[in-house]
């Protein structure tokens, strides 16, 4: 192993040791569609929550999407984005986990393609508004391999807005070989489902074949389409399907 690889592995071991010694280390993976949350030591995330918030007051029924993030120098756009981050973290800390953020150590998994301005906005919100104990940003591609004890591999991350391919050698990301394929992800499947259902499906009454005088697109909400996608795209290994 090269010296750079040994140094990277030493950093991973020290990171693992630091996380295990911390009393409350909250791991956060913020995606374009869903945010995964869990404590260190958990075998899987405890919560999958949508990365969006509800409006306030008269706009309570309005859904505000936080991502995709677009870097901007406009002060109003920056304030609006930071306000959305504040509301999302408030829901996370006080509604889902019901914990004191001041006692939390945050490990935030991020993509190597994420802009630095996004990292700065998240850190600013957590430090200034919630006064968290500490924050560590870590590439989720390396974390994927580290969780199964591997030092090298090819991580293919199929997200909501696109697919990202990240080769890793000796716990080091090979940036020159990374590829980002926008438009090829979960959002494409939702669009495909919406198009084909609107084109070919029809509404009928429950228990009969009598058609309902209503357009299909009127009932195809985002939540309904996501439910169809999750049910159709859930794949289990052969051994699991053979269990009684």
């Amino acid at each position: 192993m090269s010296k750079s690889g040994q140094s990277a592995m030493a950093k991973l071991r020290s990171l693992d040791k630091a996380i295990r010694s911390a009393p409350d280390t909250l791991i956060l993976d913020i995606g374009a569609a869903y945010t995964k949350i869990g404590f260190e030591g958990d075998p899987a995330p405890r919560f999958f929550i949508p990365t969006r918030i509800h409006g306030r007051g008269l706009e309570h029924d309005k859904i505000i999407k936080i991502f995709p993030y677009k870097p901007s120098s406009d002060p109003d756009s920056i304030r609006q984005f930071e306000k959305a981050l504040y509301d999302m973290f408030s829901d996370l800390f006080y509604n889902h986990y019901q914990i004191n953020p001041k006692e939390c150590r945050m490990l935030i998994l991020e993509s190597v393609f994420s802009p630095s301005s996004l990292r700065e906005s998240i850190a600013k919100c957590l430090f200034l508004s919630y006064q968290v104990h500490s924050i560590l940003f870590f590439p989720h591609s390396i974390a994927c391999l580290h969780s199964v004890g591997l030092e090298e591999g090819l991580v293919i991350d199929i997200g909501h807005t696109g697919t990202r391919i990240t080769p890793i050698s000796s716990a080091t990301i090979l940036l020159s070989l990374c590829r980002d394929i926008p438009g090829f992800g979960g959002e494409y499947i939702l669009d495909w489902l919406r198009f084909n259902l609107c084109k070919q499906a029809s509404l009928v009454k429950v228990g009969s074949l009598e058609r309902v005088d209503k357009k299909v697109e009127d009932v195809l909400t985002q939540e309904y389409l996501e439910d169809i996608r999750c049910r159709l795209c859930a794949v289990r290994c052969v051994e699991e399907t053979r269990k009684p």
Side-chain angles (χ1 to χ4, degrees), residues 101-120:
K102 294 182 180 180
E103 300 176 356
C104 281
R105 301 172 188 266
M106 303 287 297
L107 173 61
I108 301 179
L109 304 179
E110 64 171 359
S111 169
V112 293
F113 300 98
S114 298
S116 58
S117 57
L118 173 60
R119 186 186 306 115
E120 292 171 359

Side-chain angles (χ1 to χ4, degrees), residues 174-215:
L174 306 178
L175 291 175
S176 60
L177 300 178
C178 293
R179 294 294 182 269
D180 185 15
I181 309 175
F184 188 76
E187 191 174 28
Y188 172 81
I189 298 177
L190 292 179
D191 293 339
W192 183 88
L193 282 172
R194 182 183 290 104
F195 174 79
N196 284 276
L197 287 174
C198 291
K199 184 178 180 181
Q200 303 179 28
S202 59
L203 298 177
V204 297
K205 291 184 178 181
V206 178
S208 69
L209 297 179
E210 183 182 351
R211 291 198 176 189
V212 178
D213 188 17
K214 198 174 184 180
K215 294 182 179 180

Side-chain angles (χ1 to χ4, degrees), residues 1 38 60 62-63 93 100 109 111 157 168 203:
M1 184 186 298
H60 177 73
K62 182 180 179 182
I63 301 294
F93 289 132
N100 183 3
L109 304 179
S111 169
D157 177 19
I168 299 174
L203 298 177

Side-chain angles (χ1 to χ4, degrees), residues 80-232:
Q80 184 178 4
F81 177 72
E82 291 178 349
K83 178 65 170 58
L85 278 179
Y86 176 87
D87 291 339
M88 186 187 75
F89 286 127
S90 176
D91 183 58
L92 187 156
F93 289 132
Y94 304 124
N95 293 338
H96 290 280
Y97 266 112
Q98 298 182 357
I99 56 177
N100 183 3
K102 294 182 180 180
E103 300 176 356
C104 281
R105 301 172 188 266
M106 303 287 297
L107 173 61
I108 301 179
L109 304 179
E110 64 171 359
S111 169
V112 293
F113 300 98
S114 298
S116 58
S117 57
L118 173 60
R119 186 186 306 115
E120 292 171 359
S121 295
I122 293 175
K124 178 182 176 182
C125 178
L126 289 174
F127 275 132
L128 298 182
S129 300
Y130 294 100
Q131 301 178 13
V132 297
H133 187 278
S134 62
I135 302 174
L136 174 64
F137 291 91
F138 194 75
H140 64 67
S141 52
I142 295 182
C144 290
L145 295 183
H146 182 57
S147 65
V148 293
L150 296 179
E151 300 177 7
E152 57 185 24
L154 184 67
V155 179
I156 302 177
D157 177 19
I158 304 177
H160 182 66
T161 58
T163 297
R164 297 163 183 84
I165 303 174
T166 309
I168 299 174
S169 178
S170 300
T172 303
I173 297 176
L174 306 178
L175 291 175
S176 60
L177 300 178
C178 293
R179 294 294 182 269
D180 185 15
I181 309 175
F184 188 76
E187 191 174 28
Y188 172 81
I189 298 177
L190 292 179
D191 293 339
W192 183 88
L193 282 172
R194 182 183 290 104
F195 174 79
N196 284 276
L197 287 174
C198 291
K199 184 178 180 181
Q200 303 179 28
S202 59
L203 298 177
V204 297
K205 291 184 178 181
V206 178
S208 69
L209 297 179
E210 183 182 351
R211 291 198 176 189
V212 178
D213 188 17
K214 198 174 184 180
K215 294 182 179 180
V216 176
E217 52 265 30
D218 293 338
V219 300
L220 287 180
T221 62
Q222 187 77 4
E223 290 76 15
Y224 193 80
L225 287 170
E226 288 179 356
D227 183 62
I228 295 175
R229 181 184 64 180
C230 291
R231 292 174 184 271
L232 294 180

